[in-house]
Amino acid sequence: MSIDREKLIKAIKKNIVAIVFIGIMSVIYIYTMFNNKPWYDELYTYYYFISRGPIYAAIHWPVPNNHVGYSVLSAIFDLFGNQYIGLRGVSCIAAILNLVLLYRFSRRFMNRFFATGVIALYAGSYLTFRLSVQGRGYTLAITCYLVTMIEIYNICTEVHKKRNYVILGLAMMYGMYILPSSVYWVIPSCITGGLYLLVKKNYDRLRNLIICALGAAGGTFLLYTVIWLAIGANLMSKDAESIFYGVDQALVVLRDPLGSFTTGIKYMLATPYIQSIDRTECIRTMYVYLKELFDNFYNYSGISIFILTVIIFVWNICQALRQLYYKRNRFMASIFVTTNLIMVPVMLMIQSVHPYKRVLSFYFIPIAFGVMHMLNNFCDEYLSDSFKRNFGTAAMCVSVILALYCVNSEYYREPLADRENVIEDVLAKVDTSGIDKIHYTDDYQKYVLKFYHDVMPEECEELSDANYVMIGPELRDNKYNEPVWPVLYSYHMARLNYIEDKMTEIASNDSYTIYARQ
């Protein structure tokens, strides 16, 4: 036991800067989780999926906005009784774990100074920080990405065991279960391992890797099959022209599983999360899209990061060719960087899509890793021993200082919520527990009521049926003729007159007024 303790102490001392940095970021993440209030997508996820339990979250998919794997896990956390932990706890834990995993992965290819630089650059990225505590699945999907790369490294270069394939398969499968767009890192990751094993002529492991990937694909298909069956049965039971109209959904699945399956999958495919664009336009504007994506990594640095990415890509191709049969760690690192950097835009062009920038938040990992891997190689090959340590220390310090400066800036810490905060401000002035029947005038109000007050009153489509109503500034503006989401109704004098005649104002702020029936 004394030897193990000594090794532990030695390891802590050796990696103390990374440990301290991860500790600081953990405190920042936890503070931000509780103090920066959630925005619409988070509240929507909590209202429709997380708060309704893990089973409900696993089988419901009314729109593509449900990150199923995340919602299922978060629904379990929600049982602890704190809405912030339920909504954001999984994401916060994943954000901290990602720094540990990325450091562990980087240490396989570079010394501790440059590995610390990798996690600092990653943590300091705007998109990384903003998604780190949001109640969405992007950060958890990156956890699966990092686990995937660590296991691929183990399978390719270490004395691998069956458990490595099991963990790899589960990581890829769950990543896809969280976000179907995880395919943008699943395929490059598999190609990385496949190319390495192919070059090394290790066909047994290559075969096992392919089997593992196919198994993960099959497992993902089964997970989504449950969703497709539930969607299809729900639609068939609500279709007045269906022979299953009014029948319990479970019975619909039992009586017509194929019909439920095909109906569900058609519904999902008919409402894609990412709309396709013209292929020529997609290719022509790819540089602009990537530049905008890189701007979301470090503000106003899109062009610089794009140029740096090209340099990293070319450098690692040259390194891969030089190290083809030598220095296996560096060879695999070069394959990882080049494959991930090139495959993402290639896949986007094949699909003819420009997805939301947050979908590709993981893309900064090969960039940050590639920067430090390039500097580490340069240091080892071209600098004398007397300068190597100083060069690595300088790179680490610059990265850490940059990250801490960024995450503590006003730009990074600005409120996620806007209209949601205004609604909560006026709701805090009334006893929301007594709100039983309400007429919603915009799409935010019910989500705020549920998250902050754990209230889900009956929703009344007709104003005359409601005991409460909350109206915003648009409904008082006589120039507001057509409702624009999230507002559901336009200006209407008769509506306002009805509210003023039949209801009493009980709370208001600069934007919203709450009325109760007299």
Side-chain angles (χ1 to χ4, degrees):
M1 293 298 293
S2 60
I3 297 177
D4 293 338
R5 191 179 299 112
E6 290 176 3
K7 287 183 177 180
L8 178 61
I9 294 173
K10 185 177 180 180
I12 292 174
K13 290 181 178 179
K14 189 175 183 180
N15 301 286
I16 188 64
V17 177
I19 293 172
V20 171
F21 176 78
I22 293 173
I24 292 173
M25 290 304 304
S26 300
V27 173
I28 293 173
Y29 288 150
I30 295 171
Y31 174 84
T32 306
M33 177 178 74
F34 288 103
N35 288 276
N36 199 328
K37 294 180 180 179
W39 68 297
Y40 178 84
D41 274 13
E42 294 181 87
L43 295 175
Y44 176 93
T45 300
Y46 186 81
Y47 181 90
Y48 278 110
F49 309 114
I50 295 174
S51 65
R52 303 189 183 194
I55 296 177
Y56 185 94
I59 63 175
H60 283 78
W61 194 89
V63 294
N65 206 25
N66 181 21
H67 298 175
V68 185
Y70 181 86
S71 296
V72 171
L73 197 54
S74 293
I76 298 173
F77 274 60
D78 194 49
L79 299 176
F80 289 103
N82 183 284
Q83 72 271 33
Y84 279 98
I85 293 177
L87 175 61
R88 292 174 161 180
V90 172
S91 193
C92 185
I93 293 172
I96 298 169
L97 185 59
N98 287 350
L99 298 181
V100 177
L101 293 173
L102 183 56
Y103 182 74
R104 181 180 175 185
F105 178 68
S106 300
R107 283 291 283 127
R108 283 156 166 72
F109 307 99
M110 59 191 81
N111 64 42
R112 64 186 185 275
F113 302 110
F114 292 107
T116 303
V118 173
I119 64 171
L121 287 177
Y122 169 74
S125 164
Y126 176 79
L127 204 53
T128 298
F129 181 77
R130 296 292 276 185
L131 293 174
S132 62
V133 295
Q134 288 190 34
R136 311 294 286 137
Y138 303 106
T139 302
L140 182 61
I142 290 176
T143 305
C144 297
Y145 175 39
L146 292 170
V147 171
T148 295
M149 286 312 307
I150 288 173
E151 291 306 326
I152 284 178
Y153 174 88
N154 292 337
I155 289 170
C156 290
T157 64
E158 301 291 336
V159 180
H160 69 298
K161 299 180 180 180
K162 289 182 179 179
R163 68 183 182 190
N164 296 119
Y165 292 102
V166 172
I167 296 173
L168 173 61
L170 290 175
M172 292 192 292
M173 182 176 67
Y174 202 73
M176 292 287 291
Y177 188 51
I178 297 167
L179 289 168
S181 57
S182 293
V183 68
Y184 293 124
W185 57 257
V186 168
I187 291 178
S189 298
C190 292
I191 292 176
T192 297
L195 282 176
Y196 181 89
L197 294 173
L198 188 63
V199 170
K200 295 298 182 180
K201 298 180 180 180
N202 195 329
Y203 301 121
D204 289 338
R205 295 193 185 189
L206 177 60
R207 182 189 65 249
N208 292 338
L209 180 62
I210 293 173
I211 294 172
C212 179
L214 293 175
T220 304
F221 180 81
L222 290 177
L223 288 172
Y224 277 98
T225 294
V226 175
I227 300 174
W228 294 327
L229 288 171
I231 294 172
N234 182 49
L235 292 173
M236 293 167 68
S237 67
K238 294 180 179 179
D239 184 0
E241 297 181 359
S242 171
I243 61 173
F244 296 105
Y245 179 67
V247 178
D248 184 83
Q249 295 178 31
L251 292 176
V252 175
V253 173
L254 291 174
R255 294 177 182 177
D256 190 4
L258 182 60
S260 301
F261 175 83
T262 55
T263 302
I265 197 170
K266 285 179 181 178
Y267 176 82
M268 181 177 282
L269 293 177
T271 54
Y273 189 62
I274 303 171
Q275 298 292 338
S276 297
I277 60 177
D278 179 73
R279 189 179 305 279
T280 302
E281 181 70 10
C282 176
I283 296 172
R284 186 181 67 82
T285 59
M286 183 57 67
Y287 162 74
V288 176
Y289 174 79
L290 290 176
K291 186 265 181 188
E292 292 175 352
L293 172 64
F294 296 160
D295 277 334
N296 279 268
F297 291 148
Y298 280 93
N299 196 31
Y300 303 116
S301 301
I303 295 176
S304 300
I305 296 176
F306 185 89
I307 294 172
L308 182 60
T309 301
V310 173
I311 294 173
I312 294 169
F313 179 75
V314 173
W315 171 279
N316 278 277
I317 284 181
C318 295
Q319 288 293 310
L321 294 174
R322 286 182 57 201
Q323 300 162 356
L324 200 56
Y325 290 101
Y326 307 99
K327 299 180 180 179
R328 67 181 185 181
N329 284 5
R330 290 188 180 177
F331 175 55
M332 186 174 187
S334 296
I335 295 177
F336 164 70
V337 173
T338 54
T339 301
N340 279 262
L341 290 182
I342 194 61
M343 282 303 300
V344 170
V346 167
M347 292 173 69
L348 294 180
M349 288 186 285
I350 291 174
Q351 287 187 297
S352 296
V353 295
H354 285 173
Y356 294 125
K357 308 300 185 301
R358 55 184 178 268
V359 169
L360 300 181
S361 57
F362 72 90
Y363 195 53
F364 194 65
I365 289 178
I367 296 175
F369 180 92
V371 169
M372 289 301 164
H373 180 245
M374 182 173 64
L375 293 178
N376 187 68
N377 285 0
F378 175 82
C379 180
D380 288 345
E381 295 184 17
Y382 299 107
L383 297 183
S384 62
D385 292 339
S386 59
F387 284 103
K388 286 182 180 180
R389 184 182 180 88
N390 292 335
F391 187 83
T393 302
M396 176 185 68
C397 290
V398 170
S399 302
V400 170
I401 292 172
L402 175 64
L404 294 178
Y405 170 78
C406 287
V407 300
N408 286 286
S409 67
E410 291 185 6
Y411 178 62
Y412 278 55
R413 303 181 71 82
E414 65 184 4
L416 289 164
D418 183 15
R419 196 178 186 106
E420 304 89 339
N421 289 341
V422 177
I423 294 173
E424 168 53 15
D425 175 71
V426 70
L427 283 173
K429 299 177 181 180
V430 301
D431 179 14
T432 55
S433 63
I435 298 178
D436 51 358
K437 300 170 69 176
I438 189 169
H439 176 72
Y440 292 116
T441 59
D442 68 49
D443 202 43
Y444 284 85
Q445 297 168 16
K446 57 186 174 184
Y447 308 140
V448 175
L449 270 170
K450 173 58 183 174
F451 184 81
Y452 291 104
H453 304 275
D454 196 23
V455 174
M456 293 181 68
E458 179 184 343
E459 183 175 351
C460 301
E461 292 187 8
E462 298 297 330
L463 181 58
S464 57
D465 296 331
N467 293 328
Y468 294 85
V469 64
M470 186 191 317
I471 63 173
E474 295 88 355
L475 274 70
R476 298 190 184 94
D477 184 358
N478 57 14
K479 297 179 180 179
Y480 192 76
N481 298 319
E482 294 293 333
V484 178
W485 183 93
V487 180
L488 303 176
Y489 300 95
S490 60
Y491 171 83
H492 195 277
M493 179 60 71
R495 174 183 291 270
L496 291 176
N497 289 338
Y498 177 88
I499 292 174
E500 292 177 357
D501 292 341
K502 302 295 184 180
M503 310 184 88
T504 302
E505 178 183 325
I506 58 174
S508 67
N509 58 19
D510 293 339
S511 298
Y512 278 88
T513 303
I514 302 177
Y515 293 88
R517 188 169 296 279
Q518 296 176 1

